[in-house]
Amino acid sequence: MLKLAFILFLFGPSFQLDLPTCQPGDYHFEYTECDSNGGRWRVQVPKKPNSCTGGAPHPAVRGKSCDFTCDKGQYLDISGDQECKHCQSGTFSLGDGIRFENWEKIPEGFTSTAESFRFRHFEMGDGEDEDTVNCSSNAFTAKGSYLSVTPGDCNAQLTYSVNLVKTGSVLFEFQYPEESEGSALFHFTIQNDQCESDLDHSHKNQWPSKTKSGAWGHIGTKLEKGLNVLKWRVVGIGSDRSKKTVAPVLIRKIEVTGVGFTSVCAPCKSGTYSSEGSEICTPCKPNTFSKPGADMCQPCNPATEYSCKYISYYDAAYGC
């Protein structure tokens, strides 16, 4: 008994005496980290740690090279023959890329911060006075179909870090309303792991142009292989002092290529659909709707319902 207690003390609660033998369905395939030859191994490991032991996993086999990618509308069948397969209906894939356009929350990998400035006011006979601005309402915020930031006396920053296996690109769509003239600066930069800017020194790319009311602008630029740190900054200049309302800066899509393969196709969001082998999901037509992962859109009840583009099943009953 003392010996058993000592073993449990050494190995902690993860040590279990009666783990079942792993069965074929308990495993899944993964790739190892890339080695010095630019290759990796496909290995079979338990799906859940400490759930089983032993068994007979498949032997390790040489996997695809680290810079291998599938075409758009395809995924890599890592569990099968390690070949590219077409995405099923209701799903899509960029092949070697990733697209962010569902902003119910800030996606994993992104960080949103806002820092205040200290302004010094000089008045005759009063010396200097420091005022710290509250930036809690001036950070990038997820609004469902887009990210939004309301310019204030703050530096709002959205950051996304991505490690590319080959030369790629970034494309993003934004609204930078003309109404923000003189009240906000919008800045986009790309840095590598040495904090050096890799963005072409073009005024158009670093400082996005203003957009007309309701219009969307876009910027696309090359990304180098390796680590890329993407930063979007919105800096207000006396915004909350000069106007009661300030037009927000919006980002509705960010797309990055060069990230490698995907082993699973992403489902289409509600209000869209796709056929087999799709790289994009097509919006439903007016007066139709779809659930996530749909391969077609369904008609609304013409007597009681209607919808606009992108409307989901759950919104269709309430109209637009």
Side-chain angles (χ1 to χ4, degrees):
M1 182 63 68
L2 289 176
K3 184 177 181 180
L4 176 60
F6 181 70
I7 292 175
L8 291 175
F9 172 78
L10 287 179
F11 292 95
S14 63
F15 180 81
Q16 300 182 42
L17 296 178
D18 299 321
L19 287 178
T21 300
C22 292
Q23 302 300 315
D26 295 325
Y27 297 103
H28 73 284
F29 287 101
E30 291 183 359
Y31 278 135
T32 62
E33 295 292 330
C34 296
D35 55 33
S36 58
N37 296 319
R40 52 195 169 188
W41 294 88
R42 189 189 74 167
V43 296
Q44 204 173 33
V45 298
K47 297 177 181 178
K48 297 180 180 179
N50 301 320
S51 60
C52 62
T53 185
H58 288 284
V61 297
R62 198 62 171 164
K64 294 290 187 181
S65 62
C66 292
D67 59 355
F68 176 84
T69 59
C70 293
D71 292 334
K72 295 179 179 180
Q74 296 182 336
Y75 70 98
L76 182 65
D77 185 10
I78 186 175
S79 299
D81 55 8
Q82 298 192 75
E83 297 297 333
C84 296
K85 305 290 179 64
H86 289 298
C87 292
Q88 295 182 347
S89 300
T91 66
F92 75 97
S93 166
L94 299 181
D96 67 341
I98 185 170
R99 179 187 297 135
F100 301 97
E101 56 183 354
N102 186 356
W103 306 104
E104 297 298 329
K105 61 180 181 179
I106 301 292
E108 184 177 352
F110 285 84
T111 57
S112 174
T113 59
E115 298 179 351
S116 65
F117 296 110
R118 287 184 178 271
F119 293 90
R120 295 182 176 181
H121 309 288
F122 295 90
E123 297 182 7
M124 186 176 297
D126 291 339
E128 98 179 10
D129 175 46
E130 292 190 353
D131 177 33
T132 301
V133 180
N134 183 353
C135 292
S136 59
S137 61
N138 296 123
F140 281 92
T141 305
K143 297 291 187 179
S145 299
Y146 50 78
L147 292 174
S148 174
V149 57
T150 301
D153 288 329
C154 303
N155 174 21
Q157 180 170 292
L158 179 72
T159 305
Y160 179 64
S161 298
V162 59
N163 196 9
L164 303 189
V165 300
K166 64 178 183 179
T167 299
S169 64
V170 58
L171 170 71
F172 67 95
E173 296 181 356
F174 63 91
Q175 274 190 10
Y176 181 26
E178 292 178 330
E179 300 92 295
S180 296
E181 187 72 50
S183 64
L185 297 176
F186 186 21
H187 189 210
F188 172 65
T189 58
I190 301 172
Q191 294 180 338
N192 58 22
D193 56 356
Q194 302 299 318
C195 295
E196 298 170 341
S197 176
D198 283 338
L199 188 63
D200 179 71
H201 295 290
S202 164
H203 178 78
K204 179 180 179 181
N205 284 340
Q206 288 194 4
W207 303 93
S209 300
K210 299 284 184 176
T211 55
K212 296 185 180 298
S213 179
W216 292 88
H218 68 274
I219 283 181
T221 190
K222 176 183 175 182
L223 296 177
E224 299 296 333
K225 179 180 178 180
L227 180 64
N228 291 265
V229 182
L230 315 182
K231 294 183 178 181
W232 294 263
R233 294 187 181 94
V234 174
V235 181
I237 305 176
S239 305
D240 56 349
R241 300 177 184 180
S242 60
K243 296 182 179 181
K244 291 184 179 180
T245 59
V246 179
V249 176
L250 310 179
I251 297 176
R252 73 172 178 181
K253 183 173 76 171
I254 299 174
E255 184 175 306
V256 178
T257 64
V259 298
F261 70 91
T262 178
S263 59
V264 60
C265 298
C268 294
K269 63 181 181 180
S270 58
T272 66
Y273 71 98
S274 73
S275 57
E276 181 181 352
S278 294
E279 64 177 277
I280 61 172
C281 297
T282 304
C284 292
K285 294 181 179 180
N287 297 321
T288 64
F289 68 91
S290 71
K291 296 181 180 180
D295 59 0
M296 66 176 63
C297 298
Q298 303 294 330
C300 298
N301 185 333
T304 60
E305 301 171 342
Y306 71 95
S307 72
C308 297
K309 283 186 177 181
Y310 296 102
I311 207 69
S312 70
Y313 171 80
Y314 302 102
D315 295 330
Y318 301 97
C320 299

